[in-house]
Amino acid sequence: MRLRKIKGADETVAASPYVIHPASEGPLPWKKLFANERPLHIEIGTGKGRFLMELAKANPSANYIGIERYTSVLIKAIRKMEAQPLPNLFFLCMDAANLEQYFAPGDVERIYLNFSDPWPKDRHARRRLTSETYLKRYDAVLAPLGQLEFKTDNEALFDFSLESIRASGWKLLGCTRDLHRDTQMNEGNIMTEYEEKFSAQGNPIYKLIAAR
Ligand code: SAM
């Protein structure tokens, strides 16, 4: 993804009350932060935050953390939260490669990946958020019955993801190659910014749900 650096984004993210600023290394005290013990769902690669904001608004009985590595992108999600604060959503500015540093085993009930960067070159395959490398990281933080939900418009990335799920010994709980025409899988679907753009161009949306 081409990224335009926004002036002041680093400072805005560093000062935002909607962003978690870890005081030390080690698992986040997220139960204290949300002041409850409700299940924790995270999105990796939150982008401008629309999906997670709508989801958090519709599901006050869960806690949400949106992870995004670039401040110039996260600032857009922060602006949305400033306009409409939600008590059950925080953002975290970090590279998902560091997931295990901030979440303890069993912390996370659900992980959402939406329109993750495809990293098309073979030599970058391990950077894909559905690679076996990342599935190991998810395995380390997911609750025993935790689930992974992944949406994309990229068929090659989807096929790669199905293969890494199989190779990692995970189970496929749901799978569609045309989400918007699949009444069962599409029920309650919340569109992301990218999903709206790609489906408007006539691209089918692929979705899978997996668990260990
Ligand atoms: N999920 C949004 C959507 O569907 O509209 C944004 C999709 S955009 C193609 C992918 C986003 O994931 C970008 O904002 C990118 O910075 C973020 N991202 C990619 N790899 C990441 C990583 N390893 N850790 C955190 N964020 C990442």
Side-chain angles (χ1 to χ4, degrees):
M1 193 180 68
R2 222 178 320 120
L3 182 73
R4 198 165 48 88
K5 187 102 183 84
I6 294 180
K7 211 171 151 214
D10 290 355
E11 293 77 5
T12 302
V13 169
S16 175
Y18 304 113
V19 176
I20 302 171
H21 307 289
S24 57
E25 295 219 343
L28 297 171
W30 60 270
K31 290 179 185 162
K32 214 163 129 194
L33 185 76
F34 289 103
N36 65 57
E37 302 220 346
R38 293 179 195 136
L40 178 65
H41 299 188
I42 66 174
E43 184 187 21
I44 299 176
T46 288
K48 298 177 190 168
R50 191 178 87 182
F51 169 82
L52 211 54
M53 282 205 65
E54 281 193 37
L55 193 64
K57 204 168 147 191
N59 297 287
S61 57
N63 297 313
Y64 294 89
I65 295 178
I67 297 170
E68 170 55 52
R69 71 172 154 188
Y70 293 121
T71 57
S72 293
V73 181
L74 191 56
I75 193 171
K76 309 244 170 72
I78 292 172
R79 295 298 183 221
K80 289 194 183 89
M81 274 283 271
E82 286 169 350
Q84 195 188 50
L86 293 168
N88 59 335
L89 170 60
F90 282 92
F91 299 110
L92 181 60
C93 194
M94 70 156 199
D95 188 322
N98 302 319
L99 206 61
E100 292 151 271
Q101 198 178 314
Y102 294 108
F103 296 94
D107 259 354
V108 181
E109 288 288 340
R110 188 167 304 193
I111 299 176
Y112 293 99
L113 305 173
N114 291 314
F115 299 83
S116 309
D117 298 333
W119 292 106
K121 292 186 178 136
D122 282 348
R123 68 173 192 277
H124 292 149
R126 276 190 306 162
R127 297 185 193 176
R128 297 173 193 151
L129 292 182
T130 50
S131 65
E132 290 178 63
T133 306
Y134 271 93
L135 289 177
K136 280 200 193 89
R137 294 182 176 131
Y138 306 152
D139 180 36
V141 301
L142 271 176
L145 298 176
Q147 295 185 3
L148 175 72
E149 295 202 10
F150 171 56
K151 290 196 281 189
T152 183
D153 71 313
N154 187 310
E155 187 177 20
L157 180 62
F158 192 72
D159 288 339
F160 168 86
S161 308
L162 288 174
E163 176 50 27
S164 63
I165 279 163
R166 191 202 57 74
S168 301
W170 288 45
K171 296 184 291 280
L172 205 55
L173 306 180
C175 180
T176 176
R177 289 178 177 268
D178 195 350
L179 176 63
H180 297 169
R181 288 203 176 83
D182 184 320
T183 19
Q184 206 185 333
M185 289 281 284
N186 199 41
E187 203 187 322
N189 183 50
I190 293 175
M191 293 247 245
T192 80
E193 274 99 350
Y194 271 67
E195 183 169 358
E196 195 154 278
K197 188 169 113 190
F198 292 129
S199 58
Q201 291 167 1
N203 297 2
I205 305 301
Y206 300 75
K207 178 172 180 177
L208 66 82
I209 304 174
R212 293 99 101 214

